[in-house]
Amino acid sequence: MVDPVKLIRKNIRSLAPYSTARDEYSGGLGIYLDANENPYENGYNRYPDPHQKRLKERIAQIKGVPVGKLFIGNGSDEPIDLAFRVFCEPQQDNAISITPTYGMYKVAAEINDVEFREVSLTADFGLDVEGLLAAADEHTKLLFLCSPNNPSGNSFPEEEIVRLLREFPGMVVLDEAYIDFSTRRSLLAQLPQYPNLLILQTLSKAWGMAGLRLGLAFACEEVVRAFSQVKYPYNINVVTQKIVYDRLAEDIKPQVREIVAQRAVVAQKLAECRVVRQVYPSDANFLLVRVDDPREVYTRLIEAGIIVRDRSRVRGCAGCLRITIGTPEENRRMIETLKNMEQ
Ligand code: PMP
């Protein structure tokens, strides 16, 4: 069994984190002359809670996870970067990832000067479990998996992820950004069994809060503590903490159901378009679509004011565009534009 504490960089393990002015006082009303703030109340003159206590308790309750196993960041991009900063010695350690996948893992590796080893998915975007295990050595600290995967849209079988959790010698970062659109269950319930599991989720997709920037990371207490010590003290601002808290009362299920239903409609309609060669099965809120001439299709959509993501230069995605599921009207216009290309 991997001991995550041993994987943490020595300098991080012995870090004396910055303690904020308000760490020593948890009472209610007081006279705050400790943080050099402007004393005149306007709703924003005070620093936010650096521990995000109220918000974290609410999220932990919704997710059914002890609050000590939850870290919240400025989008998922913050915990992705923190994973490198906490676990990887620059120029010495390495991280492994599937490819194609979400581009930020590689960017974060490069920023942190950490070798990034990419193991291709199979032709139908399946996991090469043996290849991923074979790529690891004594300097390997992280494995990035994304399920459902961006940009392919498919999820990986739980048995394969579990095998990697059992046999991989480092932390397994499982990005579940799109899990709410999937028929598969989250691995959150397995957290207590695998101390090397780090799950990422986000409020940017199904929860509809991309503009507020709030990412979730779930891991054992020791890893969450290390992340909390390394993060900027005030990483989640006052407005985000408040609005996210209030919005968590919303029921996201009706919108998720609508998006998933539209995904099926759009997939079917796309398959009927003559310019479309293949629509890949998706468990997410987007579809990966292979066309004959991606540049031409992309340009025609742009001319119609419709922006999609051209993934055709990504390894394993030749000819592919990634199309997000929009409102029924947006989807209808996108399909109509593709159909008009046939005339
Ligand atoms: N993970 C995946 C797989 C994503 O596709 C994205 C955004 N496209 C993110 C994380 C980033 O999410 P956030 O907005 O929380 O930074």
Side-chain angles (χ1 to χ4, degrees):
M1 189 80 88
V2 175
D3 178 358
V5 175
K6 291 213 177 97
L7 295 172
I8 296 174
R9 293 165 68 200
K10 272 206 199 75
N11 61 316
I12 303 298
R13 265 185 272 165
S14 57
L15 188 72
Y18 176 75
S19 85
T20 68
R22 220 136 293 161
D23 279 341
E24 294 92 43
Y25 179 70
S26 58
L29 280 180
I31 297 175
Y32 295 114
L33 305 179
D34 57 341
N36 302 345
E37 295 153 336
N38 181 320
Y40 297 103
E41 295 295 337
N42 61 16
Y44 313 110
N45 59 316
R46 300 292 175 191
Y47 283 102
D49 172 11
H51 311 296
Q52 305 112 8
K53 199 163 172 292
R54 178 168 169 266
L55 180 57
K56 273 174 111 176
E57 271 164 14
R58 182 81 188 101
I59 295 173
Q61 182 192 31
I62 290 170
K63 294 288 175 181
V65 167
V67 74
K69 291 182 192 274
L70 168 66
F71 172 86
I72 63 181
N74 186 331
S76 313
D77 292 341
E78 183 179 5
I80 291 168
D81 180 57
L82 283 171
F84 286 98
R85 297 171 70 198
V86 165
F87 292 109
C88 298
E89 216 54 70
Q91 299 189 348
Q92 181 182 311
D93 291 332
N94 65 71
I96 294 170
S97 172
I98 54 172
T99 183
T101 193
Y102 180 44
M104 255 330 267
Y105 314 140
K106 185 177 191 168
V107 172
E110 282 170 3
I111 291 168
N112 287 285
D113 207 0
V114 170
E115 185 196 345
F116 193 69
R117 301 179 177 177
E118 295 173 288
V119 176
S120 293
L121 295 174
T122 60
D124 57 353
F125 300 119
L127 279 181
D128 173 7
V129 175
E130 298 298 336
L132 289 165
L133 290 171
D137 61 23
E138 72 272 25
H139 291 297
T140 302
K141 295 292 180 65
L142 302 171
L143 168 62
F144 283 90
L145 301 175
C146 180
S147 183
N149 188 37
N150 175 8
S152 54
N154 59 313
S155 308
F156 304 119
E158 189 173 312
E159 317 82 77
E160 294 182 2
I161 299 172
V162 164
R163 186 172 159 215
L164 287 164
L165 282 165
R166 292 219 172 96
E167 297 181 31
F168 190 75
M171 294 297 294
V172 176
V173 183
L174 177 63
D175 190 339
E176 294 187 336
Y178 300 99
I179 194 70
D180 297 304
F181 305 104
S182 172
T183 45
R184 288 186 192 273
R185 59 176 189 172
S186 161
L187 260 75
L188 217 45
Q190 267 86 304
L191 211 52
Q193 277 156 266
Y194 303 105
N196 61 335
L197 174 58
L198 198 163
I199 294 181
L200 301 178
Q201 293 186 1
T202 177
L203 301 189
S204 298
K205 311 295 175 186
W207 282 92
M209 295 191 240
L212 289 170
R213 310 304 302 130
L214 204 110
L216 317 176
F218 303 91
C220 63
E221 277 88 353
E222 293 84 352
V223 168
V224 167
R225 203 170 306 123
F227 274 43
S228 305
Q229 290 182 346
V230 175
K231 78 175 178 75
Y232 291 151
Y234 304 111
N235 61 330
I236 312 291
N237 69 66
V238 168
V239 180
T240 297
Q241 289 196 42
K242 166 151 190 3
I243 299 182
V244 168
Y245 186 93
D246 294 345
R247 289 198 64 88
L248 285 170
E250 303 229 335
D251 180 8
I252 60 167
K253 285 196 210 85
Q255 272 186 4
V256 169
R257 265 199 297 273
E258 174 77 19
I259 291 166
V260 169
Q262 276 292 303
R263 182 178 73 200
V265 172
V266 174
Q268 157 105 48
K269 294 244 159 73
L270 282 171
E272 290 163 10
C273 292
R274 251 192 291 150
V275 294
V276 171
R277 287 280 146 260
Q278 190 170 2
V279 182
Y280 290 91
S282 173
D283 250 352
N285 66 338
F286 56 82
L287 289 162
L288 190 72
V289 182
R290 193 157 53 80
V291 297
D292 279 335
D293 186 345
R295 219 45 230 175
E296 170 69 10
V297 176
Y298 180 85
T299 308
R300 287 291 281 271
L301 287 169
I302 287 277
E303 282 163 5
I306 300 165
I307 301 125
V308 300
R309 192 92 153 114
D310 182 357
R311 299 279 77 187
S312 61
R313 280 177 299 273
V314 172
R315 185 153 41 115
C317 295
C320 287
L321 301 175
R322 192 194 68 197
I323 305 177
T324 304
I325 304 301
T327 63
E329 175 57 16
E330 290 171 338
N331 301 333
R332 196 190 58 71
R333 283 182 50 192
M334 183 269 296
I335 299 280
E336 190 181 88
T337 308
L338 293 189
K339 286 248 150 84
N340 284 341
M341 281 186 75
E342 294 165 14
Q343 279 136 31

